Amino acid sequence: MNQEQIDDLVKASHEAKKNSYSCYSKFRVGAALLCQDGTVIKGCNVENASYGLTICAERTALVKAVSEGHRKFKAIAIASDLSNSIITPCGACRQFLVEFGVNWDVFMTKPDLSYKQMKTGDLLPLCFVADSLEEERISQSA
Ligand code: THU
């Protein structure tokens, strides 16, 4: 990705934040997912009165993308309103990100559009993925 593409994705993540449904936490999060074919799919966090059913912005974007036929991704940018800190994905979202590869880019941003870039796999070391299911196993006794 060139700098212009990165900056556009970062801006799109902050645009996505505007639709955040976060009436309980008041913590707005947006995500912009760049698919391999150049499509950008946005997502926001969607909370629920039961609290536990909340869906994060990253997973919203991924589920939207996969349900529209996208499975290969170049990058995701994540945005929040934290003035002095980048927004980092929760554990569940890290697991969701590595499902689609350990070597694509995550841009964790601040409202001033600065960011930290990391690979999906580096955000979840020793992760359990589809290949893990194919490794040799001991035989089951029962
Ligand atoms: N949240 C996200 O959407 N993504 C993150 O990376 C961190 C947390 C949401 C979940 C909840 O709606 C709110 O932020 C506070 O945890």
Side-chain angles (χ1 to χ4, degrees):
M1 284 173 80
N2 63 35
Q3 194 59 51
E4 193 184 342
Q5 289 171 314
I6 295 171
D7 292 343
D8 285 350
L9 197 67
V10 169
K11 278 184 208 146
S13 71
H14 284 272
E15 278 290 318
K17 190 176 66 178
K18 292 179 185 164
N19 289 331
S20 168
Y21 181 76
S22 44
C23 27
Y24 306 103
S25 71
K26 316 278 187 222
F27 192 91
R28 299 189 306 163
V29 185
L33 181 61
L34 178 63
C35 306
Q36 204 64 252
D37 69 357
T39 310
V40 173
I41 295 192
K42 291 192 236 176
C44 64
N45 53 335
V46 181
E47 298 189 344
N48 186 273
S50 72
Y51 288 22
L53 287 178
T54 292
I55 304 174
C56 294
E58 300 90 320
R59 278 178 288 148
T60 300
L62 282 164
V63 168
K64 279 178 67 181
V66 173
S67 61
E68 294 296 330
H70 302 279
R71 291 185 180 187
K72 291 191 186 319
F73 306 113
K74 281 187 184 160
I76 188 167
I78 315 166
S80 82
D81 296 318
L82 295 172
S83 344
N84 299 318
S85 304
I86 55 166
I87 177 72
T88 56
C90 78
C93 288
R94 292 176 197 218
Q95 182 69 35
F96 230 80
L97 290 164
V98 297
E99 180 67 21
F100 301 99
V102 293
N103 199 30
W104 53 291
D105 292 307
V106 182
F107 295 94
M108 297 166 281
T109 79
K110 287 187 198 173
D112 66 4
L113 307 183
S114 62
Y115 59 82
K116 178 176 172 63
Q117 176 177 359
M118 284 180 74
K119 294 288 180 192
T120 49
D122 293 333
L123 284 164
L124 195 63
L126 304 178
C127 56
F128 185 85
V129 287
D131 285 348
S132 315
L133 294 166
E134 304 307 325
E135 285 168 29
E136 192 180 314
R137 281 178 268 170
I138 59 165
S139 55
Q140 297 178 38
S141 48

